[in-house]
Amino acid sequence: MAVLVTGGTGFIGSHTVAELLSAGREAIVIDNLSNSKECVLDRIERITGKRPAFRKVDLLDPEGLERVFAEFPQIDSVIHFAGLKAVGESVSKPLLYYENNIFGTVNLCKAMEKAGVKRIVFSSSATVYGKPDSVPIREDFPLRATNPYGETKLVIERILSDIAAADPEWSVSVLRYFNPIGAHESGLIGEDPKGIPNNLLPYIMKVAGGKLPCLSVFGSDYHTHDGTGVRDYIHVVDLAKAHLCALDRAAAVKGTEVFNLGTGKGYSVLDIVAAYEKATGLKIPYRITDRRPGDIDECYADPAKARELLGWSAQYGIDRMCEDSARWQRMNPDGYGD
Ligand code: WQD
């Protein structure tokens, strides 16, 4: 049986496809290539010795989706990564995000239902918690997204749980990621954002590679050990492996389950800068600037539920995350290139 991976040429998607193929699973990848490149499939083949079937499909094309399920009747589950994910962009272009992320998911679920595929693992985000009342964060904490991107994740979680409530044959696994960073140890796949990165690690990578002059540290007056923002950074390969555990659990359990995927440890911006300097032997120039609107002081997971029910926990620490990021950056100074 096969797993359909939407957004499978993206950062987390590509690492998950590599883990699926390495574990002997059949993966079929669809992506509209709006924020990734088809050459990622070549890299996956170099890592695993296998090349997944690929179809360029946009989730806003219902007929295209139906054709995939008709062409590959062996699909029995879906891992759904495809979606727009830039918080700042979602604030300036909310309609784009609501249409793409929500309408796309509805189209996907309708195509799944028509094909009789009723198992889905969904890529959600810790952003659904907004500013938590306390840390570490458990899955039963209040949900209060603070931007349209986070709202789309919340709405999609509710859509999926409503589908599962209406049809007891559905299995829904919602995975709330904290801060995915790092890269495959081969250095062949990694994070390759377009333009100026919004997120911390890709920005630091560009500073280390001489593409950007200096890191701006957004605020040093947060209520954290050194005043800079604290987050739960998790290695993308750890995250990828969690998806295989979630697939296995969804094969055995019907209904909806939600899991926080983090290490349970928080690191500050300056902790990350120090770790990246240690991994590369480089100095990362930075300056303290104003807070970024919407940022929170600290956010890290209570990973107990995933450990107990998925039999999964993060294995890699911050040094390995930075070493693997640095290797990807050194081997691919221009990412996947043009
Ligand atoms: C991390 C820390 C910043 C950039 C976002 C999304 C979340 C998820 C992960 C999709 C914060 C600081 C950052 C910079 C900085 N994405 N920072 N200078 O904001 O925790 O989460 O990405 O699912 O949904 O909200 O990640 O990497 O942007 O920021 O000082 O140039 O680094 O203030 O403390 P964030 P981030």
Side-chain angles (χ1 to χ4, degrees):
M1 302 307 275
V3 186
L4 175 69
V5 183
T6 77
T9 54
F11 175 41
I12 303 166
S14 57
H15 285 81
T16 303
V17 170
E19 291 302 322
L20 285 166
L21 296 177
S22 299
R25 310 282 295 260
E26 182 184 0
I28 292 155
V29 174
I30 60 173
D31 204 300
N32 67 3
L33 301 178
S34 64
N35 194 25
S36 59
K37 295 187 175 76
E38 194 170 347
C39 66
V40 170
L41 301 169
D42 303 328
R43 303 293 185 93
I44 290 172
E45 186 171 12
R46 285 173 60 186
I47 292 169
T48 66
K50 303 171 190 170
R51 187 183 187 84
F54 171 72
R55 297 292 179 269
K56 186 183 177 191
V57 173
D58 192 312
L59 298 190
L60 296 181
D61 170 13
E63 290 73 29
L65 275 171
E66 284 192 25
R67 280 196 297 275
V68 171
F69 283 97
E71 182 180 2
F72 300 100
Q74 67 270 36
I75 293 170
D76 69 343
S77 52
V78 174
I79 303 180
H80 179 28
F81 293 106
L84 298 173
K85 63 160 193 161
V87 169
E89 185 184 52
S90 79
V91 174
S92 59
K93 300 177 182 173
L95 270 179
L96 174 70
Y97 273 66
Y98 285 116
E99 179 185 46
N100 186 79
N101 292 2
I102 297 172
F103 289 15
T105 301
V106 169
N107 288 340
L108 173 66
C109 292
K110 288 170 72 175
M112 288 174 66
E113 195 169 58
K114 186 170 183 180
V117 178
K118 300 186 174 184
R119 191 180 308 152
I120 186 168
V121 174
F122 173 57
S123 165
S124 191
S125 168
T127 204
V128 301
Y129 296 111
K131 181 175 175 57
D133 297 328
S134 62
V135 283
I137 298 173
R138 288 193 321 276
E139 289 82 356
D140 61 356
F141 271 30
L143 301 176
R144 44 194 174 198
T146 57
N147 55 72
Y149 161 74
E151 287 293 351
T152 68
K153 290 299 185 182
L154 260 187
V155 168
I156 293 167
E157 287 192 12
R158 292 196 180 112
I159 289 170
L160 295 175
S161 62
D162 286 346
I163 292 171
D167 179 347
E169 282 309 302
W170 277 74
S171 297
V172 173
S173 183
V174 173
L175 305 182
R176 292 175 182 159
Y177 309 156
F178 281 67
N179 288 62
I181 64 169
H184 190 269
E185 62 184 355
S186 65
L188 290 171
I189 53 177
E191 191 167 9
D192 182 24
K194 280 181 176 173
I196 305 289
N198 299 306
N199 297 136
L200 180 63
L201 244 295
Y203 201 103
I204 289 177
M205 285 197 288
K206 291 219 182 264
V207 173
K211 304 277 187 185
L212 289 169
C214 176
L215 169 71
S216 297
V217 175
F218 297 148
S220 61
D221 59 348
Y222 286 105
H223 297 105
T224 64
H225 65 276
D226 64 11
T228 64
V230 167
R231 297 291 184 275
D232 185 334
Y233 297 94
I234 178 169
H235 198 295
V236 64
V237 172
D238 273 329
L239 201 56
K241 289 177 175 173
H243 289 73
L244 275 68
C245 298
L247 272 181
D248 293 340
R249 175 140 177 110
V253 173
K254 303 291 186 194
T256 300
E257 291 189 309
V258 180
F259 299 98
N260 284 344
L261 296 185
T263 64
K265 299 185 189 74
Y267 288 93
S268 74
V269 177
L270 295 183
D271 290 336
I272 296 295
V273 169
Y276 207 83
E277 290 181 336
K278 178 181 167 189
T280 57
L282 298 172
K283 196 83 187 111
I284 302 293
Y286 68 84
R287 60 199 171 100
I288 305 292
T289 62
D290 292 338
R291 291 185 174 195
R292 178 172 63 179
D295 274 0
I296 60 178
D297 299 61
E298 58 180 348
C299 172
Y300 55 89
D302 176 340
K305 186 178 176 186
R307 183 176 59 247
E308 286 153 19
L309 297 185
L310 295 182
W312 170 91
S313 59
Q315 299 301 305
Y316 296 136
I318 208 70
D319 289 340
R320 174 67 184 269
M321 294 182 216
C322 290
E323 287 157 12
D324 290 347
S325 279
R327 182 182 308 107
W328 156 254
Q329 190 278 325
R330 274 196 316 274
M331 291 172 62
N332 306 273
D334 297 316
Y336 291 112
D338 295 328

